[in-house]
Amino acid sequence: MNSGIDFPALKPADLEILLALSQQDLHGYGLMKQVEAQSQGRVVLELGSLYRLIGRLEREGLIRSLEDEADATRRKYYRLTELGHRALKAEARRLQKVVEVLHTRHLLEGSEGTS
Amino acid sequence: MKEVPERRRAPRLSWILRSFPRSHRERYGSEMVETYALLEEELAESPSLMRWRRRLRCLANLLWSGFRIRVSGWKSRIEGGRFRTPDFDPKKGGSSVEQWLRDVRYGLRQVARQPFLSGIIALVLALGIGANMAIFNFIETLLWKPLPVPRPEQVVTLNLVTSESSSSTFSYPFYRDLRERAQVFQELAAHRQVSSTLGEGAEAVPIEVELVSGNYFRMMQISPLQGRLLEPSDDEVEGDRPVAVISERLWRTHLQERPDILGQFLYFNGTPLEVVGIVPGEFRGAHPPLPADVWVPIAMQDAIRSLGASREDRGWGWLQGSGRLREGVSLEQARADLARVSAQLSAEYPRYFEDRRFSVSPATYMPSRTQSLVSDILWLMAGISGLILVATCTNVAGVVLSRSLRREREYALRRSLGATRWALVRQTLTESLILSLVGGFAALFISRWVQSGFVGLVNQVDRNAGFRPVLSLDLPTLAFAFLLSLLACAVVGLMPALKNLRAPLLGLLRQPAGSRQASSGSSRAFGLFLVAQVAICLILLVASGLLVRTLQKGNAFDLGFDSQNLLLVNLNLKPAHLSREAEARFLKDLTRVVAQEAPIEGAALALKVPLDGSKDRAGFRLPDANGEAASKTVPIDVNTVTPGYFELMGIPVLAGREFDPRDDSPGAESVVLVNQAFVSRASGFWKDREPLGKLLQTSEGTRFSIVGVVANVNYYSLGEPPEPMVFLPPGSVMGWPRVLHLRTWGEPAGLGSLVRRRVAKLEPRVQIDNLLSFEELRRIPLLPQRALALVSSIFGGLALLLTLIGLYALVSSAVTRRTQEIGIRLALGAHPRKILCGVLGRVMILVAGGILSGLVLAGALSSFLTNILFQVSGLDPLTYLGVAALLVLVSVAASLVPLRRINRIEPVRCLRYE
């Protein structure tokens, strides 16, 4: 089944958040730090942007929140939903195709040397 | 999972979180506060400068995010979310609503950047749109609207057509015959609106009364607001039922909504009539723009008008008719039926109804008498204001185009950064749309102003008109204004927008900033705009020139008598209810008394006033070859005048003598005077061609002998060929005349109160309907021309100003554009004057093109004006040449100002750019 067709391309920040949550459930602060770490500092989410994106992704059904009983502060954790997984996979496939095209056209070869 | 540091203190974020929508705050607010606390903790060890930078960045981001959530929430309400809309197009750079909003925001910024220029553009557009809107509203209300009655399409107006002319009045007996014999009407009503007074003595106020047949309201299908309306039984016997119904307006304003008004008696022209009902406000009579306030049965006509005539007089045509056609009867069927009845009537009453027939036309809001005058003026004004709209649009288009040329580089840059051509076109159009909508909004106010001016003008043309049309900004008018705004936007914005579409991209970016060359397309567009503006300007100025010449000729026209220092007093004797003898005595005394006053040189009475336009005719049998009255009766205009009239007016008596007081004495021979036109028309039949002593006979048999011949005077309108006229002494056939003519030693304007005092002293119940100097009266027939001259002069001046600005801008931008070229030519030794002449020559070719096309168009359009021009040809060469010369002069002057800059160009500085 080609589920990628139903999904539009993800925005870079959305992709980073879904990517971070694909490893483990995270609360807001943790998500912020994880995104920063996995993107090697390229993507830094400010507080407002973080919760704007969390709000939107949750509304779109790509992530959902769960109260962690074990956490003393009763902090909310976020988890990738099934739809979120599919959207992430679709995005990965899309990026893969882009990379394949770049390979066939030999556009990736010189780039390491020049940078 | 990462370890979360302990929370130490919760910073106060609440106020900044308000930038987020409430739902978002409720869901994530506390979490955000906690996360912020963690961030603060993380920063605790950093240097304070860095801490504050982070804090500020965080706060700014919070504000921005809150705003974005609000915007996207609004947007998704309009369009749905991106994962839920099946037709979402990921390639689109933002939704169309967002794009449009962006365009509007950007457009508003551009408009606000040049507030003065934008204001002028909007104002100029507002003038153009407002004038057109006002005229449209008038045309729609006055010419197209039906009567405000149920099923107005069934209501028709009755006309009486003769082979020569069409009139709308007929006598009561003919009305009755027609009502009984015609089969196409549900109801056929007769009516006649007359001026009267309400109240007694000095407190009487003028009021419009409509005398109506008993079935009038049944025909109109109106139901009463209070009481009852008039019924056929009210109109059966003459003078039998002194009843009246009044308008809601009169009841609410003049009578202060008296609850006990029904059953009360009000005095109309001194006659008490019982109020039996109130007509609801929206009904204003058969002629809504000249509304009536009281309706009285025709049977009461003598009480209101005091003419001493019975409505049963078959020869007295004074009524108008309106009818409601039966269900399914077409106008053609109605006309055929009326033709049948008319043929019967002609056969039965050859003396009164020869060569005549009844016809019908759809009833309109405007009565036909005023309609032709108003519609002529309105359509001409529509033409003039349409032209000015075109002129304003082309002018504004020029300004917008030049502004967009200045922004060519900006557009090129934006396109190279990925903006599509369509996006730029949309952007330009949005800006024009903003301007034209602002103009359209301002036009609402301008149109009201134009309208009140026009209503005042019509009332000045016809003082008795009482022109009070109900004008409202209804849906069609608003739609028209909106449409005009869009049209203006299209004309104004499309050219620059399309220009963008074609603009070469790279060439523009490569050019250095100071050396832009307008493409040939845009100069062509500029040239075209200028030609159009000059042409329109010329047309408007020619129109105003022709009208001004008409006014000049009209004012200088020799009327055949001395019109200086002449005061005319229209006396209303009806409220006094005097007998014929008492009336004659009063008028004689009044003439004698006022003539003795110091500022008054002389006084006389007459029935007709020159130029008043009305025709009173009586049937006469002309003298035949033997000087005896012939058998055939012909209608001839009559005027009744008192002795001394001709001397007072300065009308030369060419043969015989004037009336003298003895002509009035009992037993004296009945005498008349005739004018020259009468003699030249009639004397062909006479052996000796000598008019004096010949006999005239009225249709009733009274014989008159001609004792004098006077010069011709224009009694109808300016320049009309004089008609034969018979002057009768007072009291002979027509009763005593009621217009007092006073010759004064100086300006007659201040004598009104003196005359009023003298009249009141002799007979306090007599009222003065109208008191004005002849110079005022003389202006009235030319008021339509005066109004159009004013409008076309104002608009012509505006067009001239616009042309000047356009020309200045064109030449100025041409000089700026070609500074470099001119600099090089100067450096190579060219003389500045030669270059100047070259540029000027090119501009003048455009101006000449505009003038030529304007002359041709003006000549073609002048035929619309011929009806209202007086003694001036529509192709008057003086006017055309004068206007053309004026335009050439003004164009040269407007071009020379910016052209002088050529002298100041320094070749060296220009060459530096190369």
Side-chain angles (χ1 to χ4, degrees):
Chain A
M1 161 198 153
N2 188 3
S3 59
I5 283 174
D6 298 329
F7 294 99
L10 290 175
K11 290 181 180 172
D14 292 356
L15 176 64
E16 291 292 347
I17 290 176
L18 294 190
L19 213 51
L21 290 179
S22 66
Q23 300 297 314
Q24 56 181 336
D25 300 343
L26 289 167
H27 51 67
Y29 181 78
L31 192 53
M32 213 179 213
K33 294 289 134 192
Q34 177 64 27
V35 165
E36 199 175 336
Q38 80 191 9
S39 69
Q40 292 159 350
R42 268 187 306 111
V43 180
V44 179
L45 288 174
E46 290 290 345
L47 181 63
S49 302
L50 174 73
Y51 279 94
R52 179 172 69 83
L53 297 177
I54 286 178
R56 198 179 69 207
L57 292 172
E58 211 177 353
R59 219 171 33 249
E60 286 170 353
L62 301 186
I63 63 173
R64 67 188 173 88
S65 65
L66 44 146
E67 304 273 325
D68 187 346
E69 300 299 323
D71 193 307
T73 55
R74 288 178 163 263
R75 202 162 282 138
K76 250 193 265 173
Y77 281 78
Y78 294 94
R79 176 177 288 175
L80 214 54
T81 62
E82 179 52 35
L83 187 69
H85 272 294
R86 279 169 51 197
L88 189 58
K89 274 186 194 150
E91 181 69 10
R93 248 180 252 122
R94 203 181 64 79
L95 290 173
Q96 194 183 11
K97 273 181 199 146
V98 173
V99 173
E100 275 165 16
V101 171
L102 292 173
H103 263 302
T104 55
R105 297 191 184 169
H106 310 290
L107 283 163
L108 289 175
E109 282 155 19
S111 62
E112 273 147 341
T114 52
S115 63
Chain B
M1 198 178 287
K2 251 187 167 181
E3 195 54 47
V4 178
E6 275 301 310
R7 185 175 59 159
R8 270 202 251 144
R9 63 191 170 92
R12 278 186 231 125
L13 265 191
S14 55
W15 61 271
I16 213 154
L17 283 182
R18 288 196 175 277
S19 70
F20 288 82
R22 178 193 283 269
S23 58
H24 196 275
R25 276 205 310 271
E26 279 167 0
R27 188 163 171 79
Y28 303 106
S30 58
E31 217 182 317
M32 287 170 83
V33 171
E34 277 174 38
T35 309
Y36 182 73
L38 293 173
L39 286 171
E40 275 286 328
E41 228 154 281
E42 188 188 307
L43 283 175
E45 314 302 321
S46 351
S48 70
L49 185 68
M50 186 172 158
R51 204 161 61 226
W52 274 110
R53 262 176 53 192
R54 284 293 317 262
R55 269 187 196 143
L56 279 179
R57 202 155 69 193
C58 181
L59 293 182
N61 179 263
L62 279 170
L63 283 175
W64 176 235
S65 304
F67 173 71
R68 285 191 69 179
I69 291 176
R70 282 180 190 276
V71 169
S72 71
W74 180 52
K75 222 175 72 192
S76 70
R77 268 203 291 282
I78 299 172
E79 307 189 319
R82 67 174 162 155
F83 280 84
R84 301 196 184 130
T85 338
D87 56 354
F88 177 74
D89 178 7
K91 277 181 285 180
K92 255 194 196 166
S95 68
S96 56
V97 173
E98 197 177 38
Q99 275 177 359
W100 184 73
L101 281 175
R102 209 164 46 215
D103 283 345
V104 170
R105 269 201 304 272
Y106 187 77
L108 282 173
R109 269 211 301 279
Q110 288 297 332
V111 168
R113 226 158 82 181
Q114 290 168 303
F116 185 70
L117 184 65
S118 305
I120 294 279
I121 291 178
L123 185 72
V124 167
L125 285 178
L127 277 175
I129 297 172
N132 280 279
M133 207 178 132
I135 303 295
F136 175 86
N137 191 217
F138 267 124
I139 290 177
E140 190 229 341
T141 314
L142 301 181
L143 306 185
W144 294 345
K145 225 182 215 173
L147 280 179
V149 296
R151 308 284 309 270
E153 70 283 356
Q154 291 180 336
V155 181
V156 291
T157 305
L158 204 59
N159 309 308
L160 191 59
V161 188
T162 68
S163 59
E164 284 168 10
S165 62
S166 166
S167 79
S168 57
T169 56
F170 42 86
S171 71
Y172 189 78
F174 276 121
Y175 157 67
R176 205 170 37 207
D177 293 341
L178 189 62
R179 191 180 61 192
E180 283 160 8
R181 298 181 194 189
Q183 291 163 354
V184 288
F185 297 108
Q186 293 177 39
E187 290 286 353
L188 178 64
H191 46 87
R192 171 66 190 258
Q193 192 159 322
V194 295
S195 299
S196 171
T197 56
L198 168 64
E200 285 181 285
E203 285 159 26
V205 291
I207 198 165
E208 288 292 304
V209 173
E210 198 170 22
L211 294 163
V212 297
S213 57
N215 61 353
Y216 174 84
F217 287 105
R218 201 188 282 175
M219 187 277 292
M220 291 288 190
Q221 298 188 347
I222 300 291
S223 9
L225 184 75
Q226 280 186 33
R228 68 171 178 90
L229 298 179
L230 299 178
E231 288 155 11
S233 60
D234 292 320
D235 193 34
E236 269 163 11
V237 185
E238 274 205 88
D240 184 41
R241 293 268 189 99
V243 292
V245 296
I246 58 173
S247 71
E248 187 181 349
R249 199 186 71 87
L250 183 72
W251 177 59
R252 291 201 190 281
T253 57
H254 190 75
L255 302 169
Q256 288 94 36
E257 301 192 23
R258 272 168 59 182
D260 61 338
I261 189 69
L262 297 184
Q264 297 288 321
F265 281 84
L266 296 177
Y267 283 80
F268 298 102
N269 263 355
T271 305
L273 297 177
E274 183 191 352
V275 177
V276 294
I278 300 176
V279 177
E282 64 270 23
F283 185 75
R284 294 151 65 96
H287 311 313
L290 327 167
D293 279 316
V294 182
W295 289 266
V296 175
I298 289 176
M300 295 304 297
Q301 57 88 14
D302 194 40
I304 298 292
R305 312 187 79 192
S306 317
L307 293 180
S310 163
R311 70 174 180 182
E312 297 303 328
D313 182 349
R314 196 170 276 278
W316 181 33
W318 62 288
L319 287 169
Q320 295 171 313
S322 299
R324 188 177 281 275
L325 297 179
R326 279 183 203 283
E327 205 72 45
V329 171
S330 70
L331 274 181
E332 282 65 40
Q333 288 169 312
R335 284 180 187 141
D337 187 47
L338 289 176
R340 175 186 64 82
V341 179
S342 304
Q344 289 177 6
L345 292 173
S346 303
E348 287 169 42
Y349 306 100
R351 195 169 145 213
Y352 301 103
F353 211 79
E354 200 180 354
D355 187 29
R356 291 175 180 211
R357 67 189 162 78
F358 283 111
S359 182
V360 285
S361 53
T364 47
Y365 192 81
M366 200 73 195
S368 50
R369 178 171 67 96
T370 327
Q371 181 157 25
S372 60
L373 168 77
V374 171
S375 83
D376 278 1
I377 302 182
L378 276 180
W379 284 114
L380 279 171
M381 284 194 171
I384 290 173
S385 53
L387 277 180
I388 197 71
L389 184 67
V390 177
T392 50
C393 282
T394 46
N395 187 273
V396 171
V399 175
V400 172
L401 178 61
S402 73
R403 194 161 69 162
S404 82
L405 283 181
R406 248 174 284 149
R407 283 161 60 188
E408 242 171 6
R409 275 173 64 84
E410 175 204 325
Y411 288 135
L413 194 68
R414 283 172 61 186
R415 265 183 47 203
S416 67
L417 289 176
T420 59
R421 284 166 186 245
W422 165 236
L424 292 182
V425 168
R426 210 181 45 216
Q427 178 61 57
T428 324
L429 278 179
T430 308
E431 276 176 55
S432 320
L433 189 65
I434 291 170
L435 286 174
S436 51
L437 285 182
V438 169
F441 182 70
L444 296 184
F445 301 96
I446 290 182
S447 71
R448 300 307 282 179
W449 178 67
V450 171
Q451 285 189 330
S452 58
F454 185 78
V455 170
L457 193 89
V458 172
N459 282 325
Q460 233 181 325
V461 173
D462 186 354
R463 289 201 174 209
N464 303 320
F467 185 58
R468 280 186 275 136
V470 184
L471 295 165
S472 57
L473 280 180
D474 49 5
L475 205 64
T477 308
L478 287 177
F480 181 74
F482 184 65
L483 216 78
L484 278 188
S485 304
L486 289 188
L487 192 78
C489 161
V491 174
V492 165
L494 218 54
M495 182 70 94
L498 294 178
K499 184 79 199 30
N500 283 330
L501 211 60
R502 289 196 305 260
L505 189 58
L506 284 173
L508 275 171
L509 284 176
R510 272 200 213 114
Q511 279 172 23
S515 67
R516 294 191 313 275
Q517 293 278 334
S519 63
S520 64
S522 65
S523 343
R524 252 206 317 275
F526 270 133
L528 214 65
F529 288 157
L530 188 76
V531 168
Q533 275 176 47
V534 170
I536 289 170
C537 184
L538 185 124
I539 295 171
L540 290 172
L541 288 178
V542 162
S544 96
L546 290 175
L547 289 161
V548 167
R549 302 248 308 142
T550 292
L551 290 178
Q552 275 176 354
K553 295 260 180 166
N555 289 337
F557 186 71
D558 182 15
L559 295 166
F561 66 94
D562 179 7
S563 61
Q564 298 287 317
N565 298 338
L566 192 60
L567 184 70
L568 303 169
V569 185
N570 215 332
L571 300 165
N572 178 5
L573 272 63
K574 292 165 213 159
H577 292 292
L578 300 174
S579 66
R580 280 184 88 115
E581 291 72 35
E583 245 182 55
R585 206 164 41 244
F586 162 76
L587 290 167
K588 257 189 226 167
D589 289 349
L590 181 66
T591 317
R592 189 170 40 76
V593 167
V594 290
Q596 284 161 2
E597 295 291 337
I600 293 170
E601 196 184 331
L605 291 157
L607 176 76
K608 289 170 69 67
V609 175
L611 298 187
D612 87 338
S614 68
K615 295 200 178 194
D616 294 276
R617 290 189 159 174
F620 284 101
R621 292 183 202 165
L622 291 187
D624 61 11
N626 305 318
E628 288 297 312
S631 57
K632 195 175 184 231
T633 312
V634 284
I636 295 181
D637 297 312
V638 290
N639 192 2
T640 313
V641 300
T642 56
Y645 171 80
F646 297 102
E647 194 195 337
L648 177 100
M649 295 290 281
I651 301 172
V653 179
L654 303 171
R657 62 171 176 89
E658 209 186 310
F659 291 125
D660 85 41
R662 278 165 307 172
D663 294 334
D664 194 23
S665 58
E669 186 195 20
S670 299
V671 294
V672 292
L673 276 80
V674 294
N675 68 353
Q676 245 178 324
F678 179 94
V679 176
S680 48
R681 183 83 59 92
S683 64
F685 304 114
W686 306 334
K687 270 187 209 149
D688 51 0
R689 300 190 168 256
E690 174 55 57
L692 296 184
K694 294 283 188 304
L695 285 181
L696 276 181
Q697 194 174 346
T698 64
S699 46
E700 281 83 30
T702 321
R703 294 164 76 97
F704 294 95
S705 116
I706 300 174
V707 294
V709 178
V710 295
N712 292 328
V713 167
N714 275 76
Y715 277 96
Y716 308 113
S717 61
L718 280 179
E720 194 174 294
E723 294 266 328
M725 180 173 261
V726 173
F727 295 89
L728 299 167
S732 52
V733 177
M734 314 282 287
W736 273 73
R738 275 103 191 252
V739 184
L740 187 60
H741 291 53
L742 299 172
R743 173 75 64 193
T744 60
W745 289 109
E747 269 298 300
L751 294 177
S753 59
L754 174 80
V755 176
R756 281 177 203 282
R757 275 203 306 277
R758 290 290 161 268
V759 171
K761 199 172 165 191
L762 276 176
E763 175 53 73
R765 287 174 298 175
V766 167
Q767 285 166 8
I768 290 177
D769 277 352
N770 222 334
L771 190 149
L772 74 173
S773 73
F774 187 79
E775 287 305 307
E776 281 177 88
L777 186 82
R778 177 180 192 144
R779 260 183 252 131
I780 291 175
L782 287 172
L783 271 173
Q785 285 83 343
R786 192 174 296 274
L788 282 171
L790 190 75
V791 170
S792 58
S793 301
I794 291 176
F795 283 163
L798 188 67
L800 189 63
L801 191 72
L802 291 176
T803 312
L804 271 179
I805 296 171
L807 204 59
Y808 181 92
L810 179 83
V811 176
S812 160
S813 78
V815 172
T816 313
R817 259 195 342 253
R818 298 176 51 195
T819 302
Q820 251 180 306
E821 178 209 322
I822 294 170
I824 294 168
R825 286 174 64 186
L826 286 173
L828 292 175
H831 197 277
R833 178 169 297 168
K834 205 173 164 195
I835 296 172
L836 190 145
C837 287
V839 179
L840 188 64
R842 240 168 287 174
V843 174
M844 281 301 132
I845 287 175
L846 289 178
V847 172
I851 289 180
L852 279 181
S853 43
L855 285 175
V856 171
L857 282 171
L861 293 172
S862 67
S863 58
F864 290 108
L865 276 180
T866 39
N867 270 346
I868 63 163
L869 291 182
F870 170 69
Q871 292 202 327
V872 178
S873 153
L875 298 171
D876 182 42
L878 195 66
T879 311
Y880 282 70
L881 287 179
V883 170
L886 174 78
L887 273 174
V888 169
L889 271 179
V890 164
S891 317
V892 172
S895 314
L896 279 180
V897 177
L899 277 179
R900 275 190 333 202
R901 282 216 311 266
I902 289 180
N903 288 324
R904 293 201 298 270
I905 290 177
E906 291 172 44
V908 180
R909 186 173 292 176
C910 296
L911 292 175
R912 215 176 283 153
Y913 289 119
E914 286 294 297

